[in-house]
Every structure is written in structure tokens, then in C-alpha cells.
Amino acid sequence: MAALGAMAAIGPLPAGTAALPPLPTLGVPGVPELKPLTRYEAMRLGPGWSHSCHAMLYAPNPGMLFGRIPLRYAVLMQMRFDGLLGFPGGFVDRRYWSLEDGLNRVLGLGLGCVRLTEADYLCSHLTEGPHRVVAHFYARQLTLEELHTIEISAVHSRDHGMEVMGMVRVPLYTQKDRMGGLPNFLANSFVGTAKFQLLFALKILNMVPEEKLAEAVAATQKPKKPAAIDHAGGNAHAGKAGNELMAPGKTGNEFTERAENQAGLQAEAAEQAGGLEAQAVSEQLGEQAVGLGEQAGGEQVGAEPME
């Protein structure tokens, strides 16, 4: 890694000297390429350009997720105040600071206990957009214990809970569903060039095979299946009953007693309804009998004079 940084720092050679090999590119489908340039070229840019410096801290990790998925490396990123993922670092004012001094000043505010040097320099890229920014990227390999110490120190730094919401580790594996792990992580929102720099470093440092990176990026671009919509109005009712059945403290006897009480109330209501119905039928028959008696009486009265 230091050799790569030294090579990039040399920049273009004088005329007549054998040219250096072209700078590496990302080459992952679906991720726009950024224009690479050497450190020397970047430092010769005019005063109209801004310089941002960010760093990736990582460590080999022999751990196994669920006892079967190799973690391979622990890579640190951070959740920013704006809800975007990014790397520790920031803009460096070249009038007062070298790239590394400015980067270490920002790292001290966000991490508290790490200093990088020119040997940790990895690459520089011109960013897209209306702002003229060249993004410098550094990478430092640590031990897992050193990385964990930085994670603890970051919680007590000045920026924690303000500009930095917390540190996160990047999952470098892909689960069997082809989304869990790195693909889901890449589906998050990243600030500026952070997503490109992450993929670039994982490829250049041989931390993840290029084909695995391409698969992870492709998985994030597939349309997601729509979630099942509950069209039946009774499902919410049933779900409520199911949740109630699963609520803690609800014993089987209590639910049995409740069911028996409900059945008793239903039987009593049915009995009352039956009594009211019988009463109504009796009254109706009585009215019919009275009507028939009146009708018979009338006929009898009318028939008497005919005798």
C-alpha cells in the first residue's frame, strides 16, 4: 500500500522518461468512474480547487458470523449528522495545512487517537458536480485491538453526537439471499465520493474480489419486490387477537374462562331472543283470534234478522 502511495505521489515524469503505468480505476458496472490523478497533479491544481481528505481504517478480522460466515476485515465508517454514511475526515485549507496535517487535525476531533502520514496515501480523484473538489483518500491497516480502541475513543471525542452520530463497521460478506451484508449496506445513502472510495479501496487493497463487488452493486440496483398489502379488513382484527393471545401474563385458563363467559352470554342472548319471538307470535295469534271472533260475531248478528 505504501508503494502505491509513493508511486502516485511521484506524478508525471519528465519528458523522455518511461511513463508510469496508468492509474487504477474502479471498473465496477453501475458505479460512475471518477477521474484519477496523482498526488503531484493534485497539488499543482490552482487556488480555485478545494481539497478534501478522508481515511479508511481497517483491520483483519478472523471472526465468523454465526460460526460460518467469515468476516475477513473490520472496516470503519461513520454515520454523519445529516444521516449519510462517510469516512472520517473533511476539507483541508491548503493555505495553512499540508494534506496530512489537515487530515490529522480533523481525525483528532472525530476519533481522538490516530495520526496518518503520507505513506498511508492511497489515491486522489476529481469529483463530479459544480464544485471544484479533489478528493484525497488514505488507508491505514491496524490490528483488531487497535481498531477497537479507536471505536471506544470515538465515543468520547468532541464531535460524537454532534457532527458524528457514531462509528459503523462495513459488512464485507454477502448472505445466501444475495442482499444481506454488503449489498444492503451499499443500498444506504453516502456522502460525496464515500461510496466510490469504499469500493475502490476494497478492490485495490484486495479485500473483496472484484466480481463480488460487482455482484453486490448489481443486487442494489434490482427492483425490490413490493411488500404484501393486507386487503382483508378482518386481518387487522385477527392480528390484534393473535397479539393478545401472545401477550405475556395471559394464561391458558384465563382465555378458556373468557371463552366460556362469552359462550354463556351468547346463549343467554339467544334464549332472550327466543322468548321475545315466542311472545310476539302469541300476541299475533291472539290478535288474529280476536279479529276472527269479531268477524264471526258480525256474521251472526247479520244473520239473525233473516230468520
Side-chain angles (χ1 to χ4, degrees):
M1 183 181 67
L4 180 62
M7 180 184 74
I10 295 175
L13 298 177
T17 307
L20 291 172
L23 293 176
T25 57
L26 178 56
V28 173
V31 180
E33 286 284 354
L34 298 181
K35 181 180 178 181
L37 69 167
T38 65
R39 179 188 174 96
Y40 177 78
E41 291 171 329
M43 302 310 294
R44 293 186 63 186
L45 293 175
W49 286 84
S50 299
H51 296 260
S52 69
C53 295
H54 294 84
M56 185 181 83
L57 305 176
Y58 67 100
N61 188 351
M64 301 285 285
L65 179 64
F66 306 131
R68 56 183 176 82
I69 302 177
L71 299 178
R72 296 199 299 270
Y73 290 92
V75 177
L76 289 188
M77 293 191 74
Q78 61 186 16
M79 177 62 69
R80 293 161 37 98
F81 64 94
D82 51 10
L84 301 177
L85 289 167
F87 287 102
F91 282 94
V92 175
D93 192 336
R94 290 282 297 122
R95 295 173 300 173
Y96 307 109
W97 308 93
S98 67
L99 293 180
E100 290 75 32
D101 287 341
L103 174 60
N104 287 324
R105 178 176 178 272
V106 178
L107 293 181
L109 300 177
L111 300 180
C113 60
V114 62
R115 290 190 62 84
L116 301 185
T117 68
E118 187 175 338
D120 300 309
Y121 171 85
L122 187 63
C123 60
S124 296
H125 290 89
L126 296 180
T127 63
E128 297 179 341
H131 304 291
R132 306 178 74 186
V133 178
V134 53
H136 306 280
F137 197 53
Y138 294 73
R140 164 77 68 85
Q141 178 174 324
L142 306 168
T143 66
L144 195 57
E145 292 75 16
E146 291 171 334
L147 196 76
H148 186 54
T149 300
I150 290 176
E151 289 175 312
I152 296 174
S153 175
V155 176
H156 302 285
S157 67
R158 192 198 74 172
D159 284 347
H160 181 74
M162 301 293 289
E163 295 186 21
V164 180
M165 297 294 102
M167 307 299 296
V168 297
R169 293 190 183 189
V170 182
L172 301 185
Y173 50 82
T174 299
Q175 294 180 272
K176 289 184 178 180
D177 63 357
R178 304 296 182 185
M179 282 303 297
L182 185 58
N184 274 337
F185 187 84
L186 294 177
N188 287 299
S189 297
F190 294 77
V191 63
T193 59
K195 184 175 181 179
F196 177 90
Q197 291 171 328
L198 171 64
L199 295 171
F200 185 84
L202 294 179
K203 173 186 174 180
I204 296 301
L205 300 176
N206 297 317
M207 299 171 68
V208 177
E210 185 175 350
E211 61 273 13
K212 294 296 182 182
L213 291 178
E215 291 174 3
V217 171
T220 65
Q221 298 170 348
K222 294 180 181 178
K224 294 184 178 180
K225 296 181 180 180
I229 301 176
D230 185 4
H231 295 286
N235 283 352
H237 203 47
K240 180 179 179 182
N243 291 336
E244 186 177 359
L245 288 173
M246 296 180 65
K250 301 291 186 181
T251 63
N253 293 335
E254 186 176 348
F255 287 112
T256 302
E257 182 180 354
R258 182 183 298 181
E260 291 175 352
N261 293 338
Q262 185 175 1
L265 292 173
Q266 290 176 349
E268 184 178 352
E271 184 177 353
Q272 292 176 355
L276 292 174
E277 183 178 357
Q279 183 179 357
V281 171
S282 178
E283 292 176 353
Q284 183 177 3
L285 290 175
E287 291 176 357
Q288 291 177 355
V290 172
L292 290 173
E294 292 176 351
Q295 181 179 357
E299 291 174 353
Q300 291 174 2
V301 169
E304 286 178 355
M306 294 178 64
E307 294 180 353

